[in-house]
Amino acid sequence: MADRFNVAEALADGCPIRADAWAFVQGFAAAWSTPLSPTDGFTSAEVQRAEDRLGFRLPVALREAYALFGRRRDLVAQQNPLLEPDELLLDPSGELLVFRSENQGCAGWGVALADLSREDPPVVLFGDRLPGPSRLHFLGRLSLACVETVLSEAAMAGWTEGRTCQATPEVVACLEEEFAPVALPPYPAWFEPMGQPVRWFSASGLLLCLEPGSEGMDLVVTGRTKADVQRAVEAIPGAWPPAVTAVAEAVDDHEWALPF
């Protein structure tokens, strides 16, 4: 299965319902890491305690995500973690439920309290790099934001391989010709929210992310193995820097700062 799993193919229909997003996470975990198990989620009692503390019920999509893979730190807590139920908090305005945080507290992802009654509500991005107190639309459904979390956290994981080069027009042309686009809507990067949106492509064993860089756009290649990454490096005519050994590890419980 691992050799056949292609992210673009698995997300070809864009996950029109929540169950599609959860099926993708299950398939991705089995192919790229280890299969989900019944102990990988938080219990209903743990989620209920968070709801009692906050004073409201969480959206169905968030409760389902917690129950299925909330404890799988390899999938959701490599760099910018999905908050655990007892870490959920409101933003300073009191208008957003924050469920994911950049690891130094520079940005966060949340759901408007006015949308909490929706089963799969839209997600907004806020952070230090946005002008004033503004926030940006991130993705239209929380289940899609969870899919994005799994992909972006895999790109930072110590159990994957990676290389980065500047996304010149030649690089982008090759990428668009040789690799399949992933059916996630373009969305803002937390570290450059006013820049060009993030886009994903894939092949079997490979994830390729176009994201804002120091000079225009960068192409970040993530593979299950060094051989997977080497296939992409050989196929894409970029100025690839020398490979370095991955050193990223899953963060411990208190290794990041919450956004407030």
Side-chain angles (χ1 to χ4, degrees):
M1 176 182 178
D3 292 336
R4 299 193 302 271
F5 190 87
N6 185 313
V7 168
E9 292 176 358
L11 293 173
D13 63 357
C15 297
I17 59 175
R18 297 191 311 278
D20 294 330
W22 310 147
F24 169 79
V25 174
Q26 287 179 305
F28 184 85
W32 279 63
S33 186
T34 57
L36 297 182
S37 77
T39 61
D40 286 341
F42 290 98
T43 66
S44 58
E46 289 171 308
V47 173
Q48 182 65 56
R49 283 198 295 270
E51 292 177 331
D52 292 343
R53 173 176 60 84
L54 292 165
F56 49 73
R57 192 162 173 80
L58 303 182
V60 172
L62 186 55
R63 282 189 270 126
E64 290 176 345
Y66 278 142
L68 184 62
F69 54 86
R71 292 188 183 277
R72 279 293 296 269
R73 303 181 65 76
D74 58 322
L75 299 177
V76 300
Q78 291 290 323
Q79 184 73 13
N80 302 319
L82 178 72
L83 300 182
E84 297 186 1
D86 64 1
E87 296 171 326
L88 291 170
L89 72 164
L90 301 184
D91 78 324
S93 73
E95 298 175 350
L96 292 178
L97 171 67
V98 182
F99 66 89
R100 185 184 178 201
S101 176
E102 190 273 332
N103 69 91
Q104 296 299 313
C106 296
W109 292 257
V111 173
L113 297 192
D115 289 329
L116 289 183
S117 61
R118 299 172 64 174
E119 292 189 349
D120 201 0
V123 172
V124 299
L125 173 72
F126 61 93
D128 295 349
R129 304 202 177 194
L130 283 167
S134 61
R135 55 188 70 146
L136 287 180
H137 173 80
F138 185 68
L139 284 167
R141 288 182 286 125
L142 193 150
S143 59
L144 284 181
C146 289
V147 168
E148 191 280 335
T149 297
V150 169
L151 296 183
S152 60
E153 294 300 283
M156 302 299 298
W159 45 269
T160 59
E161 300 290 335
R163 299 282 291 278
T164 301
C165 74
Q166 186 178 1
T168 63
E170 293 77 18
V171 166
V172 174
C174 179
L175 179 66
E176 293 177 334
E177 181 177 345
E178 300 294 334
F179 297 90
V182 174
L184 274 179
Y187 59 88
W190 72 264
F191 51 87
E192 197 65 55
M194 307 310 291
Q196 295 188 54
V198 176
R199 299 166 59 201
W200 292 86
F201 296 79
S202 80
S204 179
L206 282 166
L207 276 170
L208 306 100
C209 182
L210 276 178
E211 63 180 27
S214 58
E215 299 180 14
M217 298 291 282
D218 283 346
L219 172 62
V220 179
V221 175
T222 303
R224 290 179 54 249
T225 67
K226 289 182 180 179
D228 289 323
V229 173
Q230 189 59 32
R231 285 191 290 118
V233 170
E234 292 173 356
I236 300 170
W240 297 99
V244 296
T245 302
V247 295
E249 297 180 356
V251 292
D252 293 330
D253 286 350
H254 303 293
E255 223 172 67
W256 64 75
L258 295 178
F260 319 111

